[in-house]
Amino acid sequence: EDSIDKCSLWDISSAHQQKYYLSSVCHDKRIGYDNSKDNIYCSGKRNEWEAWQINSEGDGLVSFKSCVDGGKYLICTNGGKLKASHEWNGEALWKLEYSPHGGIFIISRNHDWHLSCDGQRLDISPSKGIGQTWILEPIMPSTISMDQITMYSSIGAG
């Protein structure tokens, strides 16, 4: 007889809702998006406009969507420029690969170029070095109140 209770249902969701800071290992900088200037930039801060939601797109690919103002996708254009776009297309697809420098490489699927940071600006590079190594820092929610805990546990029990 199967020992698993078939009446139980589990929902395991991440508390951070797949929201991350994309942080350069070498320079301790984050990728940000300025909606007012429609600009991708690097920043030493950890604010809402440096937050990105990572979405699985199948076949080991991901997309990065800005967490501000409806969100735009991080894309690598045919000209090798980083931009943000409301339109999801092949330019918004990225591969993540292990880096021997203690993080990951973020690689454009269409162009096989690596997201790079020199400490002042973001770029795309064919190189695979420490300047192209990133870590994904989960953005944890602030503490929750007792009312929220009660609500969440009643939803789980219901």
Side-chain angles (χ1 to χ4, degrees):
E1 178 86 21
D2 198 5
S3 63
I4 298 175
D5 180 359
K6 292 181 172 72
C7 296
S8 297
L9 177 65
W10 291 81
D11 179 23
I12 301 175
S13 302
S14 60
H16 57 80
Q17 301 172 338
Q18 302 303 331
K19 293 180 182 179
Y20 296 86
Y21 295 119
L22 308 178
S23 297
S24 167
V25 168
C26 187
H27 301 289
D28 191 31
K29 300 283 183 166
R30 260 80 30 225
I31 298 174
Y33 174 66
D34 183 343
N35 194 39
S36 66
K37 296 179 183 175
D38 197 26
N39 183 38
I40 302 289
Y41 63 92
C42 67
S43 167
K45 300 177 182 176
R46 287 175 176 84
N47 293 315
E48 180 184 354
W49 40 93
E50 282 94 31
W52 296 86
Q53 184 172 31
I54 300 178
N55 301 302
S56 174
E57 302 297 350
D59 294 328
L61 300 170
V62 298
S63 62
F64 298 99
K65 189 174 184 181
S66 170
C67 292
V68 294
D69 296 327
K72 286 188 174 182
Y73 292 97
L74 179 66
I75 66 168
C76 177
T77 67
N78 285 332
K81 300 289 183 191
L82 288 173
K83 294 196 175 199
S85 173
H86 280 296
E87 293 183 34
W88 184 97
N89 58 38
E91 292 180 326
L93 294 175
W94 300 86
K95 298 182 285 185
L96 306 179
E97 288 183 5
Y98 168 77
S99 168
H101 307 287
I104 59 169
F105 296 122
I106 300 174
I107 307 161
S108 166
R109 193 248 358 221
N110 279 5
H111 311 295
D112 210 30
W113 294 331
H114 300 75
L115 195 56
S116 180
C117 177
D118 67 5
Q120 301 298 315
R121 62 186 180 87
L122 298 168
D123 206 353
I124 297 295
S125 170
S127 300
K128 281 187 170 183
I130 195 163
Q132 293 75 41
T133 301
W134 300 86
I135 56 173
L136 305 177
E137 294 181 38
I139 302 171
M140 298 305 290
S142 57
T143 57
I144 58 176
S145 70
M146 184 54 82
D147 290 340
Q148 290 171 313
I149 292 170
T150 304
M151 178 189 70
Y152 292 142
S153 52
S154 66
I155 291 171

